[in-house]
Amino acid sequence: MSAPKHALSSEQLAHLAQHIKEWGRALGFQQIGITDVDLGIHRDHLKRWLANGYQGELEYMSAHGDKRLHPDQLHPGTLRIISARMDYMAPEVETLKLLDHPSKAYVSRYALGRDYHKLIRKRLTQLGKEIEAQVGGHGYRAFVDSAPILERGLAQKAGLGWIGKNTMTINPKAGSYFFLGELFTDLPLPIDSPFEALHCGSCSACLTYCPTQAFVSPHVLDARKCISYLTIENKGPIPEHFRKPMGNRVFGCDDCQLVCPWNKFSKPTTEPDFHPRHQLDQADLCDLFRWDEPTFLKRTEGSAIRRIGYERWLRNLAVGLGNAATTPDVISALRSRVNFPSALVQEHVIWALEQHNESPQTSP
């Protein structure tokens, strides 16, 4: 494998592709697939989705011109995309029990541990260097939610799974609790067969059980109604008609995955970094709401939660407390933030107190 990349024969490229998959598994990825840069039907689906305005404030979905539709424009010279998936479901996280306890804070499973971006990008870069060590210099670049890439479409084309009615990539042997990342390369590697079958069948559990009925139709999500969008991407007030359905979901939502029958095949992650930190898989809403900003910054260091900032963190928690059972602790916690120097936080605190038939009377 020491020949220059452009001198590699078809047989050498096929062997290299097999080695790439083996190296990927050694780096902690559960599956590696290879595809070309033609997005086909996924390009058309995105155009229709954007035309309907379903992206809301997700401006990055419509930005960057055609780069999202033509991956080779992101990294000139790219011929193939190596798509990788890594499981993130931590063992012994009692997700459903948390949703049944409104005094507890529900944080989406993917965000309980360390932020996945750096870890996966580092592993993909290591994979690129491993390839380089075998074939010499090649143009490559790793991406993990860091550029306008239709990663789920690429994963489907690379054979990693199908896109379910809940718009998640689903693998028949692993469900949907996994991260995706991509390594762009200018090597003309053989491509894998796309995952053509759709195994959702007549099941519509994800559409039915979505707390805010965010699915317009199978495979079409109106992000503006999605709790993940509302608690993470949305920078302003959470619309009042969505606050009750949010329940105790303070960062993201997993309901459309929790009810998916294919997730009975999900495997616990082998990455310690994805295990829950600071007991966020069992934290009380009141306790989190009492964090001051330095505590928030310290305990969300290296976490995806930090990206929403302290103000939106309090906003989300206030909604959760408004949906919690009425107790002296809940009322006390809310009143402690009535005069918080943020109109956004104040609005949600006052709303929460009203749910408990309480006035926004402040503590002395």
Side-chain angles (χ1 to χ4, degrees):
M1 282 296 178
S2 58
K5 63 183 180 182
H6 296 298
L8 295 176
S9 67
S10 297
E11 184 178 0
Q12 287 176 312
L13 287 166
H15 283 306
L16 177 59
Q18 185 57 42
H19 286 312
I20 288 171
K21 293 172 183 179
E22 294 169 359
W23 298 331
R25 286 192 290 271
L27 286 167
F29 294 105
Q30 277 64 56
Q31 190 177 6
I32 297 283
I34 302 170
T35 189
D36 57 27
V37 297
D38 182 10
L39 283 164
I41 61 172
H42 301 291
R43 178 170 55 239
D44 299 332
H45 179 82
L46 175 64
K47 288 181 177 179
R48 290 193 300 270
W49 189 74
L50 291 172
N52 284 311
Y54 294 145
Q55 75 276 22
E57 292 181 21
L58 298 173
E59 296 174 357
Y60 61 85
M61 292 299 296
S62 56
H64 307 287
D66 287 338
K67 287 185 178 180
R68 189 176 294 276
L69 306 177
H70 301 282
D72 50 318
Q73 292 184 14
L74 278 172
H75 189 63
T78 296
L79 296 176
R80 298 289 185 263
I81 296 173
I82 299 168
S83 180
R85 67 173 185 85
M86 183 179 289
D87 295 335
Y88 67 74
M89 185 182 70
E92 300 177 5
V93 174
E94 297 182 330
T95 309
L96 291 171
K97 287 187 178 181
L98 275 180
L99 289 173
D100 290 334
H101 290 282
S103 65
K104 298 288 187 179
Y106 184 88
V107 174
S108 186
R109 281 180 167 184
Y110 84 88
L112 290 171
R114 286 190 176 276
D115 194 340
Y116 62 95
H117 293 85
K118 290 182 180 180
L119 184 149
I120 294 182
R121 188 182 299 115
K122 181 179 179 181
R123 302 284 177 87
L124 287 170
T125 300
Q126 286 179 272
L127 180 59
K129 290 179 179 178
E130 187 71 42
I131 297 169
E132 193 169 55
Q134 295 296 315
V135 303
H138 71 109
Y140 68 93
R141 185 176 174 186
F143 294 96
V144 186
D145 285 349
S146 55
I149 297 171
L150 290 180
E151 60 179 12
R152 296 176 189 178
L154 291 169
Q156 181 272 328
K157 279 176 55 67
L160 271 57
W162 77 95
I163 298 179
K165 292 179 182 179
N166 62 359
T167 74
M168 304 297 293
T169 304
I170 304 175
N171 182 282
K173 296 181 180 179
S176 61
Y177 294 119
F178 50 79
F179 297 122
L180 294 172
E182 299 78 35
L183 184 69
F184 285 34
T185 178
D186 61 0
L187 291 168
L189 297 163
I191 63 175
D192 292 302
S193 299
F195 202 109
E196 300 285 11
L198 299 176
H199 291 300
C200 292
S202 61
C203 178
S204 59
C206 58
L207 314 182
T208 301
Y209 289 100
C210 174
T212 53
Q213 298 298 292
F215 292 99
V216 178
S217 61
H219 310 286
V220 181
L221 174 73
D222 186 342
R224 299 168 298 181
K225 299 179 181 179
C226 175
I227 292 176
S228 285
Y229 167 88
L230 292 168
T231 56
I232 300 172
E233 305 296 344
N234 168 43
K235 296 179 176 62
I238 294 169
E240 283 199 34
H241 57 286
F242 290 135
R243 295 178 191 177
K244 277 295 184 185
M246 273 178 57
N248 59 347
R249 301 167 184 83
V250 300
F251 189 91
C253 178
D254 294 319
D255 286 42
C256 67
Q257 297 188 85
L258 292 172
V259 299
C260 178
W262 288 100
N263 273 322
K264 66 184 177 183
F265 298 113
S266 294
K267 308 290 195 305
T269 181
T270 58
E271 290 294 336
D273 273 356
F274 296 156
H275 288 203
R277 307 172 70 207
H278 302 298
Q279 297 185 310
L280 282 173
D281 58 328
Q282 52 185 309
D284 288 330
L285 288 164
C286 288
D287 291 343
L288 298 182
F289 198 61
R290 290 192 174 100
W291 284 1
D292 58 18
E293 189 165 14
T295 301
F296 168 79
L297 293 173
K298 179 179 180 180
R299 296 190 181 179
T300 60
E301 185 175 1
S303 163
I305 296 173
R306 183 184 276 201
R307 64 185 292 244
I308 68 172
Y310 184 55
E311 182 182 32
R312 282 189 275 165
W313 174 244
L314 291 180
R315 174 199 65 183
N316 296 347
L317 287 164
V319 173
L321 287 168
N323 293 324
T326 304
T327 66
D329 198 28
V330 166
I331 303 305
S332 172
L334 286 167
R335 284 184 174 157
S336 73
R337 299 291 189 191
V338 167
N339 291 326
F340 188 80
S342 160
L344 182 68
V345 174
Q346 287 182 24
E347 174 189 341
H348 292 77
V349 167
I350 291 170
W351 173 87
L353 284 167
E354 289 173 350
Q355 307 318 297
H356 298 287
N357 297 313
E358 293 284 341
S359 67
Q361 178 183 347
T362 58
S363 304

